[in-house]
Amino acid sequence: MPLSTSSPGWGYRTVMKEILRTTDPTLIAFSTALLEGEGIQPFVMDVHMSVIEGSIGIFPRRLMVADRDYICARRILADNEIDLPED
């Protein structure tokens, strides 16, 4: 289900799609750096779940991108050998 946000820098209502879900914080950081390097602004969700889980890393974090950037973002991550879920 796409997410809609009105955060500063995203425009008034931007539909977002999940591109990656993982418990690996280094994969999130690497993916974020790749996308930002190509001009795509990703948004990491569930960052503060460590308060609930006690910092043991059982809840995955989700990397979201604007719907308009989704296809390009998938291509960028796939080209860098990051395994993505099937559409």
Side-chain angles (χ1 to χ4, degrees):
M1 176 179 197
L3 172 77
S4 180
T5 183
S6 58
S7 300
W10 286 96
Y12 180 68
R13 295 291 254 179
T14 300
V15 176
M16 303 195 64
K17 291 177 83 171
E18 179 181 325
I19 194 162
L20 182 64
R21 183 183 298 223
T22 183
T23 57
D24 184 353
T26 58
L27 184 57
I28 291 287
F30 180 57
S31 300
T32 298
L34 286 172
L35 294 173
E36 287 176 346
E38 295 293 330
I40 296 174
Q41 184 180 9
F43 182 79
V44 182
M45 295 186 68
D46 308 317
V47 174
H48 301 292
M49 290 300 289
S50 62
V51 173
I52 295 171
E53 71 181 9
S55 298
I56 57 176
I58 59 172
F59 290 114
R61 293 180 182 163
R62 295 174 288 163
L63 189 63
M64 310 291 284
V65 294
D67 186 50
R68 66 180 175 269
D69 296 327
Y70 182 74
I71 303 255
C72 186
R74 281 188 64 88
R75 192 173 310 123
I76 291 164
L77 296 182
D79 287 348
N80 284 278
E81 300 178 1
I82 295 175
D83 292 328
L84 300 172
E86 295 295 320
D87 260 345

